[in-house]
Structure formats: structure tokens, C-alpha cells
Amino acid sequence: MNLPDIQAMSSFLETSLFSQVEPSPAAPVRYFGKVQEVGATVVRATLPGAHQGELCVIDDELKAEVVAVKGDEVVLSPFDVTSWLKTGALVEPLGHGHQVFLGQSLLGRVVDGFGAVMDGDPLSCTEIRPNYASAPDPLSRSLIHDIMPLGIRAIDSILTCGVGQRIGIFAAAGGGKSTLLGMIASHSQADVIVLALVGERGREVREFIEYNLSPEARSRTVMVVATSDRPPLERMKATLTATTIAEYFRDQGKNVLLMVDSLTRFARSAREISLAAGEAAVSNGFPPSVFVNLSALVERAGPAAKGSITGIYTVLVEGDNMNEPIADEVRSLLDGHIVLSRKLAGAGHYPAIDINASVSRVMDQIVTQEQTEHAARVRQLLSLYDEVQLLIRVGEYVEGEDEETDEAVKRHGDITRFLRQSVSEFSPYEQTQMGLSALLES
């Protein structure tokens, strides 16, 4: 074969083998690890290259999240029970963390701790966001200058809440926290309400919907539910999911009311996961990461450059001990606290708010000087009455020895009736201020 023939043949082969055959697309690379140990709350596996917070699928069925990385080994917190799981099962990383599906169709719906619908048809999703987000830049936050009426006389008059304020409700179990939240949800004037029920009893979910939310309030409420029987990761995620949903509506310029019941169960779930992952407990049984998670969570609420999230978080306290680790930490992070008293609840005084143990740190900058003075006067009268209450009961109080104390005793009945409020009663903000003025001027 001469040279021209050889060149022609070479050109033909090059054209046939390379130019006319399209290269097949490369298949996505998948890699797997293996389960080494199965526990009640965590799963240990070998998974080189995995990162903190990454989602994984175990045995093509069970989702889990990486909560600790130790070399080529990871600790996974599963989304569901692990009773059927075996060692040697394959673990596949998904390459991303937990994400929440968002949209206007969330309003009026109930979702679980991961954001999946629980009450029927799928959501119409318009946006997907990661469950973790940074708090707004401190210098970009707007100032709190507008009043947030909650329809509760004791709060609107003496513990006035501002739009974008973060406040805690502290009480022992059975102290009326959930009932107070229901009253606030029904009476609040917020554009959107996001309610997280974390670690609650299953029966309370339907009860809250049927008894505590009016039809009008339900239509602008998103409920995030993780009952006490759910894995600790879901109970922890429920609060983060609720906050992410609140941020979605806040970024539309809306005034969002975020209510979490309770922040204590969020902290306990985080502690359970951290201890199982091997983190040391340093503060009354709580690992350091719990307090990091708490501060990061509550900082995501508050005013922003556009829109605001008014946060109301309930906190369980044992035996009215306000100095236990979680209660003490949360009180230092929030912009005020409302303390519910078992003594008042036992006397049939509802809502059982201990006025003098409670405070709103933004009240003085959003209300009139007259209201500030009236609220301070009510506090003074309640304090004076508490000092002589025992003497009155044993018949040792002598009228006429102190004019201020005599006035406190005379006005105590009127003050108590003003502060009491039934569950179904709504008190407009203007009417509350008129009642407060009349209370002291009569």
C-alpha cells in the first residue's frame, strides 16, 4: 500500500472512531461506607470524606445526619428507629445537609420536624433552604420601636412586647404555658404564626388545633410537630425547621410570630445526641455544644432589615428553679421573660403570671411615659402587698401605720381582677391601656 493510501486509511479510522461517535456521559460517582455499630440514638460507620451535618441514607431506606466526624469514622443520628438495622449495612452520603421545602401553601398546614406534611396533600414548593442559617447582621437589624399587641392584659399593660422582641415563658410542667401560647396565637395580630410543638404529648396536637386556634388564626399558622416519641434528632430539628419557615416569611417583609414549646426539650434532645456522639458533659450534665446551639437558634429571630420574627419560647423549670442551666442561659439570651407561678395557678389565677418576677427589656422604649409609670406603680403595689400578705392572713396587719401599704391592700383586689383573663377572652390593646389607667386613678 502506497503512502497516499495509508494516509487516507488513517484519516478514515480517526473520523470513524472519534469524530462520529459521541462520548457517553460519565455516570455520577457513588461511594459508600459501612455501619460498624448500631445504638438506640446513634449509628457509627466508616465513611471517609463525610462532613458535619451531611445527610446520608443507610441501607437505601433510613435517613440519618452526620453529627460527629472522627477520622474516617462518623457518628450518625437517624431520622427514625434503628431496631431493624444491622452492622455491615451500606451508608451513602448525599452531599448536602437537611433542607426545608417552602412556599405559601405552608399556611394552615401541619408538618413534622423535618418539614414533611402530616395532614394530607403535598406542598406546592417554591423555594428550598438549608435548615441552618446565620443570624442577620447586627448592624442591619432595624430597631424595635413598634408594639406587638398579644391580647393578654397582664402582658400588654405591664410586660409589653415589641415587634421583633424575643421573650421566654418560664414555668414548671402543668403551669399553663401551652394555654398561654394558645391565647397569644388566637389574639395576636401577626401576619404569620409559626408554632413548633417539640416533645409534646401526642394528644395535645389535636387539642391545640381544635381548642386553642380560631379558624382565622389557623389560616395564617404553620404548625411544626415532633411528639415525645420521635427520635431526638427530629425533636431537635423541629425548632430549626420552624425557624427556617419563619425566616422565609420574614424575608417577604412580613411580621412573623414564632412560638416554640418548648426550648428546654430542644436543649435536651441536643444533649442526648451530643452525649451519644461522645461529647463530654461540662455544665450540669450539658455538653458545650448545647449552649452554642441555643445562642445560634435564638439569634436567628428578631428584627431584620426587612420583616421581623417575634420569638416566644417556653422554658421548663423544675420546682420554680430559675437558676438551672438551661433556664439561666436562655434568660441571658432573650429580651425578656415571663414567669408563671404555680402558687397563682393553684389559687385559680390565670394566666398565672408573676408580674414582679417578669420583665420586658424593650418595653420602656416602645410605650408612652404614662404607661411606664402606671406599670411601675402596679409593680410597687403588688410588692407591698406581698410583704404584708402573711400578716393579713394571721390577723396581725394594722391599718393606718403606712399609707402606701394601706393603698396596696385596698387596691389588691382590683389589680388581681384586672390581671386575670379567661382563655376565650380577648382584650384589645387600647382597652387594656384604658383599664390600666382607670385602675390607678379610681
Side-chain angles (χ1 to χ4, degrees), residues 1-113:
M1 183 179 292
N2 56 32
L3 183 60
D5 292 336
I6 294 174
Q7 291 176 339
M9 179 63 72
S10 174
S11 176
F12 171 76
L13 289 174
E14 183 178 353
T15 303
S16 300
L17 296 179
F18 298 100
S19 300
Q20 296 181 2
V21 178
E22 294 183 2
S24 59
V29 177
R30 300 174 65 187
Y31 71 97
F32 299 86
K34 284 189 176 181
V35 172
Q36 302 295 322
E37 181 182 339
V38 180
T41 57
V42 295
V43 175
R44 300 180 188 275
T46 55
L47 195 63
H51 60 79
Q52 181 86 4
E54 185 172 7
L55 288 189
C56 302
V57 178
I58 305 175
D59 207 17
D60 286 328
E61 185 175 352
L62 178 64
K63 281 189 176 183
E65 181 177 308
V66 177
V67 295
V69 180
K70 302 176 181 178
D72 289 342
E73 294 187 351
V74 296
V75 180
L76 303 164
S77 184
F79 282 24
D80 212 332
V81 294
T82 59
S83 55
W84 55 270
L85 199 60
K86 299 178 181 179
T87 57
L90 294 180
V91 181
E92 181 180 12
L94 299 182
H96 60 79
H98 181 214
Q99 298 173 326
V100 182
F101 293 83
L102 303 165
Q104 293 294 325
S105 60
L106 278 167
L107 296 174
R109 304 297 298 274
V110 181
V111 301
D112 65 15

